[in-house]
Protein backbone atom coordinates (compact mmCIF):
# COMPACT_ATOMS: atom_id res chain seq x y z
CA UNK A 1 0.00 0.00 0.00
CA UNK A 2 1.41 3.43 -0.96
CA UNK A 3 2.06 6.09 1.66
CA UNK A 4 -0.81 8.19 0.30
CA UNK A 5 -3.25 5.28 0.41
CA UNK A 6 -2.10 4.26 3.88
CA UNK A 7 -2.47 7.82 5.12
CA UNK A 8 -5.99 8.02 3.69
CA UNK A 9 -6.91 4.72 5.36
CA UNK A 10 -5.53 5.96 8.68
CA UNK A 11 -7.49 9.22 8.47
CA UNK A 12 -10.63 7.30 7.56
CA UNK A 13 -10.20 4.94 10.53
CA UNK A 14 -9.63 7.85 12.90
CA UNK A 15 -12.66 9.67 11.52
CA UNK A 16 -14.92 6.63 11.88
CA UNK A 17 -13.92 6.06 15.50
CA UNK A 18 -14.40 9.74 16.21
CA UNK A 19 -17.87 9.54 14.66
CA UNK A 20 -18.64 6.50 16.80
CA UNK A 21 -17.73 8.21 20.07
CA UNK A 22 -19.47 11.40 19.00
CA UNK A 23 -22.70 10.06 17.50
CA UNK A 24 -23.45 6.58 18.87
CA UNK A 25 -23.64 7.75 22.49
CA UNK A 26 -26.41 10.17 21.49
CA UNK A 27 -28.62 7.51 19.93
CA UNK A 28 -31.49 6.06 21.96
CA UNK A 29 -30.20 2.82 23.42
CA UNK A 30 -32.64 0.48 21.60
CA UNK A 31 -31.70 2.12 18.31
CA UNK A 32 -27.96 1.79 19.03
CA UNK A 33 -28.35 -1.87 20.01
CA UNK A 34 -30.37 -2.64 16.86
CA UNK A 35 -27.87 -0.80 14.66
CA UNK A 36 -24.88 -2.71 15.97
CA UNK A 37 -26.70 -6.04 15.85
CA UNK A 38 -27.50 -5.35 12.18
CA UNK A 39 -23.88 -4.37 11.52
CA UNK A 40 -22.74 -7.61 13.14
CA UNK A 41 -25.04 -9.71 10.99
CA UNK A 42 -23.96 -7.92 7.80
CA UNK A 43 -20.27 -8.44 8.57
CA UNK A 44 -20.95 -12.09 9.43
CA UNK A 45 -22.83 -12.69 6.16
CA UNK A 46 -19.93 -11.34 4.10
CA UNK A 47 -17.72 -14.18 5.39
CA UNK A 48 -14.62 -11.99 5.33
CA UNK A 49 -11.19 -12.85 6.73
CA UNK A 50 -12.03 -11.79 10.28
CA UNK A 51 -15.15 -13.94 10.44
CA UNK A 52 -13.37 -16.95 8.94
CA UNK A 53 -10.51 -16.51 11.42
CA UNK A 54 -12.99 -16.27 14.29
CA UNK A 55 -14.59 -19.54 13.16
CA UNK A 56 -11.19 -21.20 12.86
CA UNK A 57 -10.34 -20.13 16.41
CA UNK A 58 -13.71 -21.24 17.72
CA UNK A 59 -13.20 -24.64 16.09
CA UNK A 60 -10.30 -25.19 18.50
CA UNK A 61 -12.37 -24.08 21.49
CA UNK A 62 -15.35 -26.28 20.53
CA UNK A 63 -13.67 -29.13 18.62
CA UNK A 64 -16.82 -31.24 18.33
CA UNK A 65 -18.81 -28.44 16.65
CA UNK A 66 -19.93 -29.09 13.10
CA UNK A 67 -20.21 -26.42 10.39
CA UNK A 68 -23.70 -25.32 11.44
CA UNK A 69 -22.72 -24.97 15.09
CA UNK A 70 -19.56 -23.05 14.16
CA UNK A 71 -21.57 -20.71 11.96
CA UNK A 72 -24.01 -20.17 14.81
CA UNK A 73 -21.16 -19.46 17.22
CA UNK A 74 -19.41 -17.06 14.86
CA UNK A 75 -22.64 -15.13 14.29
CA UNK A 76 -23.15 -14.85 18.04
CA UNK A 77 -19.47 -13.93 18.31
CA UNK A 78 -19.82 -11.02 15.90
CA UNK A 79 -22.88 -9.80 17.79
CA UNK A 80 -20.91 -9.99 21.03
CA UNK A 81 -18.01 -8.14 19.41
CA UNK A 82 -20.29 -5.38 18.13
CA UNK A 83 -21.93 -5.14 21.55
CA UNK A 84 -18.46 -4.41 22.90
CA UNK A 85 -18.09 -1.51 20.46
CA UNK A 86 -21.60 -0.21 21.04
CA UNK A 87 -21.03 -0.15 24.80
CA UNK A 88 -17.57 1.35 24.41
CA UNK A 89 -18.83 4.22 22.27
CA UNK A 90 -21.57 4.91 24.83
CA UNK A 91 -19.59 4.37 28.04
CA UNK A 92 -18.34 7.98 28.32
CA UNK A 93 -21.96 9.11 28.60
CA UNK A 94 -23.02 6.52 31.20
CA UNK A 95 -23.63 7.63 34.74
CA UNK A 96 -21.60 6.19 37.57
CA UNK A 97 -24.68 4.29 38.74
CA UNK A 98 -25.23 2.84 35.27
CA UNK A 99 -21.66 1.55 35.23
CA UNK A 100 -22.06 0.03 38.68
CA UNK A 101 -25.32 -1.68 37.72
CA UNK A 102 -23.95 -3.08 34.44
CA UNK A 103 -21.43 -5.53 35.90
CA UNK A 104 -21.75 -8.32 38.44
CA UNK A 105 -18.49 -9.80 39.73
CA UNK A 106 -18.31 -13.22 41.36
CA UNK A 107 -15.58 -13.75 43.97
CA UNK A 108 -14.63 -10.07 43.92
CA UNK A 109 -13.37 -10.58 47.48
CA UNK A 110 -10.26 -12.21 46.02
CA UNK A 111 -9.44 -8.85 44.43
CA UNK A 112 -10.42 -6.59 47.31
CA UNK A 113 -8.66 -8.73 49.91
CA UNK A 114 -5.56 -8.79 47.74
CA UNK A 115 -5.58 -5.00 47.51
CA UNK A 116 -6.23 -4.66 51.24
CA UNK A 117 -3.08 -6.74 51.88
CA UNK A 118 -1.11 -3.87 50.36
CA UNK A 119 1.19 -5.94 48.14
CA UNK A 120 -0.37 -4.96 44.85
CA UNK A 121 -2.47 -7.02 42.43
CA UNK A 122 -2.00 -7.97 38.78
CA UNK A 123 -5.43 -8.71 37.27
CA UNK A 124 -5.04 -10.57 33.95
CA UNK A 125 -7.87 -11.33 31.57
CA UNK A 126 -8.49 -12.47 28.00
CA UNK A 127 -10.36 -10.66 25.22
CA UNK A 128 -13.76 -11.69 26.58
CA UNK A 129 -16.92 -9.53 26.50
CA UNK A 130 -16.07 -5.91 27.47
CA UNK A 131 -12.83 -5.43 29.38
CA UNK A 132 -13.19 -1.63 29.21
CA UNK A 133 -16.53 -1.83 31.02
CA UNK A 134 -14.95 -4.11 33.62
CA UNK A 135 -12.22 -1.53 34.13
CA UNK A 136 -14.76 1.27 34.48
CA UNK A 137 -16.58 -0.82 37.10
CA UNK A 138 -13.36 -1.24 39.10
CA UNK A 139 -12.69 2.50 39.15
CA UNK A 140 -16.34 3.36 39.85
CA UNK A 141 -17.66 0.66 42.20
CA UNK A 142 -14.43 -0.22 43.98
CA UNK A 143 -13.02 3.31 43.62
CA UNK A 144 -9.64 1.78 42.77
CA UNK A 145 -7.51 3.40 40.03
CA UNK A 146 -5.30 1.12 38.00
CA UNK A 147 -2.61 1.09 35.35
CA UNK A 148 -2.77 -0.76 32.06
CA UNK A 149 -1.02 -0.82 28.69
CA UNK A 150 -2.31 -0.15 25.19
CA UNK A 151 -0.88 -1.14 21.85
CA UNK A 152 0.20 1.84 19.78
CA UNK A 153 -2.29 2.20 16.94
CA UNK A 154 -1.92 3.97 13.63
CA UNK A 155 -2.57 6.77 13.04
CA UNK A 156 -1.24 8.36 16.23
CA UNK A 157 -4.45 10.37 16.51
CA UNK A 158 -6.44 7.14 16.81
CA UNK A 159 -4.13 5.89 19.56
CA UNK A 160 -4.62 9.22 21.32
CA UNK A 161 -8.40 8.78 21.09
CA UNK A 162 -8.20 5.38 22.79
CA UNK A 163 -5.88 6.69 25.50
CA UNK A 164 -8.19 9.64 26.18
CA UNK A 165 -11.22 7.34 26.25
CA UNK A 166 -9.67 4.95 28.77
CA UNK A 167 -8.19 7.71 30.89
CA UNK A 168 -11.67 9.21 30.97
CA UNK A 169 -12.83 5.95 32.58
CA UNK A 170 -10.20 6.31 35.32
CA UNK A 171 -7.34 4.23 33.91
CA UNK A 172 -3.66 5.11 33.67
CA UNK A 173 -2.71 4.04 30.15
CA UNK A 174 0.90 3.29 29.20
CA UNK A 175 2.15 2.57 25.66
CA UNK A 176 2.96 -1.09 25.05
CA UNK A 177 6.04 -0.25 23.03
CA UNK A 178 9.10 1.64 24.21
CA UNK A 179 10.17 -0.54 27.13
CA UNK A 180 9.23 1.86 29.93
CA UNK A 181 5.83 0.36 30.75
CA UNK A 182 7.14 -2.61 32.77
CA UNK A 183 9.09 -0.40 35.16
CA UNK A 184 6.12 1.90 35.71
CA UNK A 185 3.78 -1.03 36.32
CA UNK A 186 6.25 -2.51 38.80
CA UNK A 187 6.37 0.78 40.71
CA UNK A 188 2.58 0.92 40.88
CA UNK A 189 2.49 -2.62 42.27
CA UNK A 190 5.20 -1.99 44.86
CA UNK A 191 3.07 0.92 46.07
CA UNK A 192 0.18 -1.52 46.62
CA UNK A 193 -1.65 -0.58 43.44
CA UNK A 194 -3.60 -2.46 40.80
CA UNK A 195 -2.45 -3.37 37.29
CA UNK A 196 -4.91 -4.78 34.74
CA UNK A 197 -3.61 -6.52 31.61
CA UNK A 198 -5.35 -8.20 28.68
CA UNK A 199 -3.02 -11.16 28.32
CA UNK A 200 -4.23 -13.93 26.00
CA UNK A 201 -2.18 -13.10 22.88
CA UNK A 202 1.50 -12.31 22.39
CA UNK A 203 3.33 -12.57 19.10
CA UNK A 204 6.57 -11.04 20.36
CA UNK A 205 9.82 -12.90 20.80
CA UNK A 206 9.38 -12.72 24.58
CA UNK A 207 6.05 -14.54 24.61
CA UNK A 208 5.77 -17.70 26.70
CA UNK A 209 4.70 -20.85 24.90
CA UNK A 210 1.66 -22.49 26.49
CA UNK A 211 -0.72 -25.32 25.72
CA UNK A 212 -4.07 -23.68 24.93
CA UNK A 213 -7.03 -25.88 24.01
CA UNK A 214 -4.55 -28.63 23.19
CA UNK A 215 -2.22 -26.70 20.87
CA UNK A 216 0.77 -24.41 21.32
CA UNK A 217 0.25 -20.66 21.56
CA UNK A 218 2.20 -17.77 23.03
CA UNK A 219 1.03 -15.51 25.83
CA UNK A 220 2.79 -12.52 27.39
CA UNK A 221 5.28 -13.08 30.18
CA UNK A 222 4.48 -9.72 31.78
CA UNK A 223 1.85 -10.75 34.34
CA UNK A 224 3.99 -13.58 35.76
CA UNK A 225 7.18 -11.50 35.71
CA UNK A 226 5.50 -8.58 37.47
CA UNK A 227 4.18 -10.88 40.19
CA UNK A 228 7.61 -12.42 40.72
CA UNK A 229 9.51 -9.16 40.70
CA UNK A 230 7.17 -7.18 42.98
CA UNK A 231 5.51 -9.79 45.20
CA UNK A 232 2.10 -8.76 43.85
CA UNK A 233 -0.81 -11.19 43.69
CA UNK A 234 -1.58 -12.56 40.21
CA UNK A 235 -5.32 -13.01 39.69
CA UNK A 236 -6.95 -14.25 36.45
CA UNK A 237 -10.38 -12.87 35.60
CA UNK A 238 -12.92 -13.83 32.94
CA UNK A 239 -15.98 -12.02 31.58
CA UNK A 240 -19.17 -13.01 29.77
CA UNK A 241 -22.46 -11.73 28.45
CA UNK A 242 -25.54 -13.80 29.29
CA UNK A 243 -28.32 -12.21 27.27
CA UNK A 244 -29.05 -9.56 29.90
CA UNK A 245 -27.81 -5.95 30.12
CA UNK A 246 -25.53 -6.99 33.00
CA UNK A 247 -22.09 -8.35 32.11
CA UNK A 248 -20.91 -11.16 34.35
CA UNK A 249 -17.33 -11.35 35.62
CA UNK A 250 -15.40 -13.78 37.77
CA UNK A 251 -12.16 -13.39 39.66
CA UNK A 252 -10.27 -16.70 39.77
CA UNK A 253 -8.01 -17.89 42.61
CA UNK A 254 -4.50 -16.47 42.72
CA UNK A 255 -1.68 -18.06 40.76
CA UNK A 256 1.19 -18.69 43.14
CA UNK A 257 4.85 -18.18 42.33
CA UNK A 258 6.51 -21.62 42.30
CA UNK A 259 8.94 -22.17 45.16
CA UNK A 260 11.66 -23.61 42.92
CA UNK A 261 13.03 -23.23 39.42
CA UNK A 262 14.69 -20.50 37.40
CA UNK A 263 12.84 -17.29 36.64
CA UNK A 264 12.05 -18.58 33.16
CA UNK A 265 10.74 -21.88 34.55
CA UNK A 266 8.58 -20.11 37.13
CA UNK A 267 7.26 -17.77 34.46
CA UNK A 268 6.35 -20.72 32.23
CA UNK A 269 4.43 -22.47 35.02
CA UNK A 270 2.54 -19.33 36.00
CA UNK A 271 1.68 -18.38 32.41
CA UNK A 272 0.38 -21.89 31.75
CA UNK A 273 -1.84 -21.59 34.84
CA UNK A 274 -3.09 -18.27 33.51
CA UNK A 275 -3.84 -19.86 30.12
CA UNK A 276 -5.77 -22.66 31.86
CA UNK A 277 -7.92 -20.13 33.74
CA UNK A 278 -8.57 -18.22 30.52
CA UNK A 279 -9.50 -21.44 28.72
CA UNK A 280 -12.04 -22.32 31.41
CA UNK A 281 -13.80 -18.97 30.99
CA UNK A 282 -13.64 -19.05 27.19
CA UNK A 283 -14.99 -22.61 27.02
CA UNK A 284 -18.04 -21.53 29.04
CA UNK A 285 -18.81 -18.60 26.72
CA UNK A 286 -16.89 -19.11 23.45
CA UNK A 287 -19.10 -16.64 21.58
CA UNK A 288 -17.81 -13.82 23.82
CA UNK A 289 -14.14 -14.39 22.99
CA UNK A 290 -13.21 -11.62 20.57
CA UNK A 291 -10.21 -13.26 18.96
CA UNK A 292 -10.38 -12.34 15.29
CA UNK A 293 -6.63 -12.76 14.76
CA UNK A 294 -4.29 -15.74 14.44
CA UNK A 295 -3.22 -17.04 17.83
CA UNK A 296 -1.91 -20.62 17.68
CA UNK A 297 1.65 -21.16 16.53
CA UNK A 298 0.73 -23.51 13.73
CA UNK A 299 -1.50 -20.78 12.27
CA UNK A 300 1.48 -18.42 11.99
CA UNK A 301 4.16 -18.30 9.33
CA UNK A 302 7.70 -19.56 10.17
CA UNK A 303 8.74 -16.12 11.43
CA UNK A 304 5.99 -16.18 14.05
CA UNK A 305 3.95 -13.47 12.32
CA UNK A 306 0.38 -13.63 11.02
CA UNK A 307 0.33 -14.99 7.48
Amino acid sequence: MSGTAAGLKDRLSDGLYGLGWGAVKRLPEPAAAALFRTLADQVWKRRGKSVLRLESNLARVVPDAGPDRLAELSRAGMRSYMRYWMESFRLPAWSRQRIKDSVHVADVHLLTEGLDAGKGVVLALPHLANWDLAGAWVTTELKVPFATVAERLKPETLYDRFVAYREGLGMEVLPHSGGAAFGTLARRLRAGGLVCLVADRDLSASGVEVSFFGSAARMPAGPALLAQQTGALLLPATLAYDGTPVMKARVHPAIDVPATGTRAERTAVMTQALADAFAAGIAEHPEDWHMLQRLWLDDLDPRGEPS
Side-chain angles (χ1 to χ4, degrees):
M1 183 182 294
S2 70
T4 301
L8 178 61
K9 181 180 178 182
D10 287 347
R11 290 194 297 274
L12 179 60
S13 296
D14 181 48
L16 288 173
Y17 281 104
L19 178 65
W21 271 302
V24 174
K25 66 184 178 184
R26 292 196 291 269
L27 287 174
E29 186 146 341
L35 171 63
F36 277 76
R37 188 166 55 249
T38 299
L39 286 173
D41 289 348
Q42 289 177 345
V43 171
W44 177 79
K45 287 177 182 177
R46 290 194 191 105
R47 309 289 293 162
K49 290 173 65 175
S50 293
V51 172
L52 294 177
R53 174 49 50 192
L54 177 62
E55 281 191 11
S56 176
N57 291 339
L58 289 171
R60 297 192 186 249
V61 176
V62 191
D64 59 345
D68 290 346
R69 174 60 176 152
L70 281 177
E72 177 186 323
L73 279 173
S74 68
R75 182 176 187 178
M78 291 309 301
R79 288 186 171 188
S80 175
Y81 183 55
M82 287 299 179
R83 175 174 169 176
Y84 162 81
W85 282 111
M86 187 269 290
E87 290 177 343
S88 295
F89 287 142
R90 295 174 67 83
L91 257 177
W94 282 11
S95 69
R96 294 177 65 85
Q97 192 60 50
R98 172 70 187 276
I99 292 171
K100 292 179 180 181
D101 292 343
S102 294
V103 182
H104 177 268
V105 183
D107 298 324
V108 70
H109 67 93
L110 296 172
L111 172 58
T112 55
E113 289 170 2
L115 290 169
D116 289 344
K119 293 185 177 181
V121 173
V122 180
L123 194 67
L125 60 161
H127 287 83
L128 274 170
N130 192 335
W131 48 96
D132 286 329
L133 175 56
W137 183 89
V138 168
T139 61
T140 302
E141 174 65 23
L142 301 185
K143 298 182 176 61
V144 175
F146 66 87
T148 188
V149 296
E151 180 182 357
R152 280 202 175 275
L153 303 172
K154 293 183 179 180
E156 194 74 15
T157 51
L158 179 56
Y159 171 76
D160 292 341
R161 284 187 190 275
F162 272 94
V163 170
Y165 158 63
R166 288 174 173 143
E167 287 180 341
L169 300 176
M171 311 175 194
E172 178 188 11
V173 183
L174 306 170
H176 189 272
S177 59
F182 188 92
T184 302
L185 296 176
R187 287 192 293 273
R188 301 293 181 267
L189 291 167
R190 290 192 184 100
L194 174 64
V195 166
C196 296
L197 300 171
V198 180
D200 56 343
R201 182 174 185 260
D202 190 332
L203 300 180
S204 73
S206 62
V208 178
E209 187 170 322
V210 296
S211 176
F212 195 53
F213 290 101
S215 297
R218 278 199 298 268
M219 293 188 180
L225 288 173
L226 283 167
Q228 291 177 69
Q229 186 163 314
T230 67
L233 202 64
L234 176 55
L235 294 174
T238 53
L239 312 170
Y241 294 130
D242 65 352
T244 73
V246 180
M247 183 176 72
K248 305 304 187 293
R250 180 189 171 199
V251 180
H252 296 253
I255 294 173
D256 295 327
V257 177
T260 60
T262 65
R263 185 174 73 165
E265 289 168 345
R266 294 194 301 268
T267 300
V269 170
M270 295 173 72
T271 306
Q272 182 62 62
L274 202 58
D276 292 342
F278 291 168
I282 292 167
E284 289 181 0
H285 296 274
E287 69 279 5
D288 290 328
W289 189 38
H290 305 155
M291 187 55 65
L292 280 67
Q293 302 85 20
R294 298 176 187 270
L295 175 70
W296 282 273
L297 299 188
D298 55 12
D299 285 335
L300 305 177
D301 73 15
R303 295 169 298 170
E305 297 294 337
S307 58

